[in-house]
Structure formats: C-alpha cells, structure tokens
Amino acid sequence: MKWPPRWNNRNRQAALDRRISHELRTPLAVLRGELEALQDGIRPLTREAVDSLFGDVMRLNRLTEDLYQLALSDQGALTYRKTLTDPMATLKEDLAALMPEFNSKQLSVQVIDNTPGPVSLYADPDRLSQLFRNLLKNSINYTDSGGRLEITVSKKGNTLLIDFSDSAPGVPEQELTKLFERFYR
C-alpha cells in the first residue's frame, strides 16, 4: 500500500484500523441480523439456521486468523516449517478440495504439467497450500460462470513456474497495481 509521504506511523495505523474495522463490520452485521431474526421469531430455529450461523462464525474466525497471520508477517514472526515438498501433490489436493465450488460455477479447470518429471521444493507445505487456495478461490470468485482456469506448470533451469490463467472478466489494467494492497478486492 502506498502511503502519502507526509503520513507518519500513527496515520498509517489509523487507516489500517479503519480498513480492518470495515472488514469485520459486514460479517458481524449479518450475524447479528440473523440472531435477532431468531430471537424475534421471524426466522425459525432450524438445523439450517444453525448451520448458517455456524458458517458466519467460521468466516469471522478465518478473517481474524488472517489478520493475526498478517500481524505476524509484519513483525517478521511468521513461522515456516520447510520440508522437501511436492508442489504438484499440494496443488492437486487443494484443487480437489475446491472442485465442488468450481463445478457449482460451471468453471472448467485444466492443469498442464510441462515438467520433465517429479518436482520437489524446499518449502512449507501449509504456506504453499495457503497460496494455492488463495489463487484458486480468487479464480472461483472473480471468473464469470461458465469460464475456465488453466494452470500451467513448467521448469526453467532451477526455477519452477506455476501460471494461473483464468477467463473473463480479469483484472482491469488500472487495478493491477492495487492487487497486493491489503484488503483490496
């Protein structure tokens, strides 16, 4: 995130606090509305209602965990448990876990493996999975129904290249510089 040069740490922290507050308000407002509807008898207390509330709580839990991980990263305290890892196995497991979501949006997925054989990385498999799932979920959320995702894996020297390319609508050119800003959607 680019901050105006005159901003000190206090201004930056206040801006970040406002963004975090905004990110938490919406799911909390939805949860509160559902609970009030249950209390007022507008919505019956059913298994589906409890499942919906549980889903809302889990989304809030993921959001707060993400914020915690961001804070650890900012402090340089994020831990990594690196081991020899097969990135293709991790990618295939993550893709299999999210295939129902791809299918429900009628998104086709193709993995093109151009590597000459098995590939290993010295990496944290959990962080690698977190990266893959983030990219896969972005494709689910921001690709039009009926679209496609093509994942191409190749090697160039000692470098492993994994290219995620999805169909429309894509990211508008003027938004590309904002992709790595916190909370940008």
Side-chain angles (χ1 to χ4, degrees), residues 1 3 7 9-25 67 74 182-183:
M1 171 176 292
W3 302 101
W7 277 29
N9 285 342
R10 176 176 268 159
N11 294 116
R12 291 177 184 167
Q13 187 62 47
L16 189 58
D17 289 347
R18 283 191 300 277
R19 285 183 169 200
I20 291 170
S21 173
H22 174 74
E23 290 293 318
L24 288 171
R25 275 190 193 144
L67 290 170
D74 286 348
R182 289 197 175 156
F183 309 114

Side-chain angles (χ1 to χ4, degrees), residues 13 15 30 71 74 76-77 92 94-95 101 105 109 131 141 143 146 149 172 175 178 183 185:
Q13 187 62 47
V30 169
D74 286 348
K92 288 176 182 175
D94 293 335
L95 189 53
E101 293 180 55
K105 272 194 79 177
V109 180
L131 170 67
N141 293 332
T143 302
L149 169 64
E175 302 293 312
K178 299 177 184 174
F183 309 114
R185 292 186 188 268

Side-chain angles (χ1 to χ4, degrees), residues 28 68 100 103 126 128 141 179 183:
L28 281 171
Y68 176 69
N103 291 336
D126 293 332
L128 189 59
N141 293 332
L179 281 181
F183 309 114

Side-chain angles (χ1 to χ4, degrees), residues 20-173:
I20 291 170
S21 173
H22 174 74
E23 290 293 318
L24 288 171
R25 275 190 193 144
T26 302
L28 281 171
V30 169
L31 186 58
R32 180 180 176 180
E34 287 191 41
L35 286 168
E36 287 175 351
L38 286 169
Q39 282 181 320
D40 296 342
I42 296 169
R43 185 172 180 189
L45 181 59
T46 63
R47 174 71 182 194
E48 291 78 24
V50 171
D51 288 346
S52 175
L53 292 170
F54 182 75
D56 291 339
V57 168
M58 293 308 294
R59 277 186 288 285
L60 279 169
N61 187 57
R62 282 191 300 274
L63 181 58
T64 54
E65 180 60 26
D66 288 348
L67 290 170
Y68 176 69
Q69 294 296 323
L70 269 174
L72 287 177
S73 177
D74 286 348
Q75 296 169 0
L78 200 56
T79 58
Y80 298 96
R81 289 185 280 285
K82 294 181 180 182
T83 62
L84 205 54
T85 303
D86 177 353
M88 290 303 296
T90 303
L91 176 60
K92 288 176 182 175
E93 288 170 15
D94 293 335
L95 189 53
L98 294 172
M99 274 314 289
E101 293 180 55
F102 279 100
N103 291 336
S104 73
K105 272 194 79 177
Q106 299 171 342
L107 298 173
S108 67
V109 180
Q110 182 179 13
V111 177
I112 302 166
D113 186 354
N114 292 325
T115 58
V119 178
S120 294
L121 295 176
Y122 186 63
D124 182 329
D126 293 332
R127 297 289 179 209
L128 189 59
S129 176
Q130 184 180 25
L131 170 67
F132 287 154
R133 286 179 184 242
N134 186 37
L135 293 169
L136 293 167
K137 286 181 181 180
N138 282 348
S139 190
I140 292 166
N141 293 332
Y142 301 109
T143 302
D144 289 341
S145 250
R148 65 171 170 65
L149 169 64
E150 188 174 280
I151 305 168
T152 307
V153 184
S154 58
K155 242 184 124 172
K156 192 174 196 175
N158 288 334
T159 303
L160 181 66
L161 303 168
I162 304 176
D163 179 56
F164 285 69
S165 179
D166 53 24
S167 56
V171 179
E173 183 108 12

